[in-house]
């Protein structure tokens, strides 16, 4: 049984739909007129982040916008997000090319990004939007509240347990691959004047 990992021959897998959700999130930001978006995370370090990066780039292609060649690499911690975004903003502000938005690979990175923006004096969402992923409990408590993608964490675990039980009790040999949907949770950090609106 593989949980949140790419499919392997002969093994059950349970995944969430990272790629399409990332594209939906980017399209939402494009709808706000945000053109220069930066993906923050490390696609090489996580299958989930790799899919989110792929969806980020696909949304740019679909909208006929220049496709970013590389992400802003960060580990998946608040400290890592803070350091990466603070360095990015220091350089980009010197060149007067502040990004319009940051699409962070998880909420911890995004919270670090919010702190870096505040320290440097970049307003969110006025001057730059910030979004995360996972919808951890603190995502709705930071200021501004974080627009993010909610993963069905309980359903991931329960589906994996059900597939494992089915394998054991029924003796099923053929693998099953389950892709669970996610939902975009729209809050203030993307510029929307809502709090906790969920888009399935």
């Amino acid at each position: 049984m593989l949980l949140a990992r790419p499919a392997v021959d002969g093994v059950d897998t349970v995944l969430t739909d990272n790629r399409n959700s990332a594209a939906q999130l980017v399209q939402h930001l494009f709808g706000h007129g945000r053109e220069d978006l930066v993906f923050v995370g490390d696609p090489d370090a996580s299958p989930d982040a790799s899919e989110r990066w792929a969806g980020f780039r696909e949304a740019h292609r679909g909208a006929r916008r220049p496709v970013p060649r590389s992400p802003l690499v960060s580990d998946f911690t608040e400290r890592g997000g803070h350091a990466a975004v603070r360095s990015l903003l220091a350089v980009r502000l010197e060149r007067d090319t502040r990004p319009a938005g940051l699409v962070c690979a998880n909420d911890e990175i995004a919270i670090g990004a919010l702190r870096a923006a505040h320290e440097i004096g970049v307003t969110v969402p006025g001057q730059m939007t910030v979004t995360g992923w996972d919808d951890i409990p603190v995502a709705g408590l930071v200021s501004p509240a974080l627009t993010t993608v909610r993963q069905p964490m309980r359903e991931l675990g329960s589906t994996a347990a059900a597939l494992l039980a089915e394998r054991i009790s029924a003796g099923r040999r053929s693998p099953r691959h389950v892709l669970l949907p996610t939902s975009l949770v729209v809050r203030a950090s993307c510029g929307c004047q809502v709090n906790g609106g969920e888009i399935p």
Side-chain angles (χ1 to χ4, degrees), residues 8 15 32 36 42 45 57 61 72 82 84 89 91-92 99 125-127 130 146 166 183-184:
V8 174
L15 303 165
H32 283 283
D36 178 16
D42 188 354
R57 299 179 81 239
R61 281 191 289 269
L72 174 64
H82 173 266
L89 292 178
V91 171
R92 295 283 293 265
Q127 295 177 304
V130 175
L146 191 62
E166 184 184 85
S183 55
L184 177 59

Side-chain angles (χ1 to χ4, degrees), residues 102-173:
L102 305 178
V103 176
C104 300
N106 70 9
D107 290 342
E108 287 87 350
I109 294 172
I111 291 167
L114 289 174
R115 185 160 58 90
H118 176 73
E119 290 170 357
I120 290 178
V122 174
T123 62
V124 178
Q127 295 177 304
M128 182 179 73
T129 59
V130 175
T131 66
W133 202 286
D134 291 328
D135 196 27
I136 62 176
V138 74
L141 302 177
V142 294
S143 182
L146 191 62
T147 291
T148 186
V149 176
R150 179 176 296 153
Q151 295 208 79
M153 301 305 293
R154 288 185 180 178
E155 192 175 353
L156 269 169
S158 63
T159 302
L163 290 179
L164 182 59
E166 184 184 85
R167 277 260 190 176
I168 294 170
S169 63
R172 174 176 53 82
R173 294 180 178 273

Side-chain angles (χ1 to χ4, degrees), residues 8-94:
V8 174
D9 288 344
V11 179
D12 292 337
T13 57
V14 184
L15 303 165
T16 56
D17 187 2
N18 287 291
R19 187 177 297 223
N20 290 329
S21 298
Q24 181 187 21
L25 174 58
V26 171
Q27 290 160 4
H28 178 79
L29 296 176
F30 284 160
H32 283 283
R34 305 288 178 157
E35 298 285 330
D36 178 16
L37 301 178
V38 174
F39 183 91
V40 189
D42 188 354
D44 292 333
S46 160
D48 282 346
S50 178
E51 285 292 292
R52 293 165 196 174
W53 168 238
F56 176 89
R57 299 179 81 239
E58 285 173 4
H60 282 76
R61 281 191 289 269
R64 298 177 183 266
R65 287 172 167 82
V67 180
R69 297 178 61 184
S70 59
L72 174 64
V73 175
S74 166
D75 66 23
F76 299 98
T77 66
E78 180 181 346
R79 178 179 291 182
H82 173 266
V85 170
R86 189 176 175 90
S87 296
L88 172 75
L89 292 178
V91 171
R92 295 283 293 265
L93 289 174
E94 280 187 4

